[in-house]
Amino acid sequence: MLLTTGQAAEELGCAITTLRRLVRAGVLPGLSRRGVRVMIPLDTVQALRERRHAPLRQLQTPEVAVLRVDTAQPAPEPDRDWLGFASSLTPQDLLKALRGWWRCDAASVAAGGVLPVTLSGYVVAVLTGLERWEKNTEGRHAFPDARLAGYVTDLTSPQTVITSSLDSDRRLAELLLGSRLASHSGGAIAYVTANTTG
């Protein structure tokens, strides 16, 4: 059974624009078209609805920052071609697209030890190596030593690509990728409570 994006969004209890970000990012399998309409298999929608919530209590920190991004867009910047997330980007382009420049409390981001990247409320990438940061003239921060621990290519299974050889990075990527992680912020960076005993 195939659903329109409107029907799928209703099933998930989200806005159509929220669902369209996942479609454009290339993380939903089995899509087809009927004229101009994108059709989504019911089992894909059910898998999204049943995704587990991020097990933040397993992190060794009381708070973790969350980077909330949109679908990858061309970036008019000399050091990167893209800004945002798409499963089709190379790991190198994806890292450049995600490691800055954000308005944030850089010390708080670093203290969390991990930066889950969410698209429409799902963790699609995980960054680590946040100990050092830079600040530009606009008050935005970047993390030049950040590592891409892994990213999602299919959100429903989920299917992931682990891109770091460090055991600690691999564990964080396997723990968080593909999970649901709600966060609220007026900007790109949100802060969520993780392990209250950490």
Side-chain angles (χ1 to χ4, degrees), residues 72-135:
Q73 305 291 326
E77 300 173 21
D79 60 337
R80 60 180 172 183
D81 297 326
W82 300 95
L83 179 63
F85 179 86
S87 64
S88 59
L89 294 181
T90 66
Q92 295 80 10
D93 281 340
L94 198 50
L95 176 59
K96 289 177 184 178
L98 300 175
R99 68 181 175 197
W101 296 88
W102 315 111
R103 290 195 187 281
C104 63
D105 177 345
S108 293
V109 173
V114 62
L115 184 60
V117 179
T118 63
L119 179 70
S120 298
Y122 295 89
V123 179
V124 292
V126 171
L127 297 181
T128 58
L130 308 164
E131 297 82 10
R132 186 171 73 90
W133 58 86
E134 298 172 349
K135 185 176 180 179

Side-chain angles (χ1 to χ4, degrees), residues 57-74:
R57 292 178 61 86
Q58 294 185 37
L59 300 177
Q60 302 301 309
T61 182
E63 181 181 73
V64 66
V66 176
L67 174 58
R68 300 148 40 92
V69 297
D70 202 341
T71 309
Q73 305 291 326

Side-chain angles (χ1 to χ4, degrees), residues 18-34:
T18 300
L19 185 62
R20 284 184 180 146
R21 285 189 195 105
L22 297 175
V23 170
R24 288 194 313 268
V27 293
L28 302 181
L31 302 182
S32 59
R33 294 196 177 272
R34 283 193 189 150

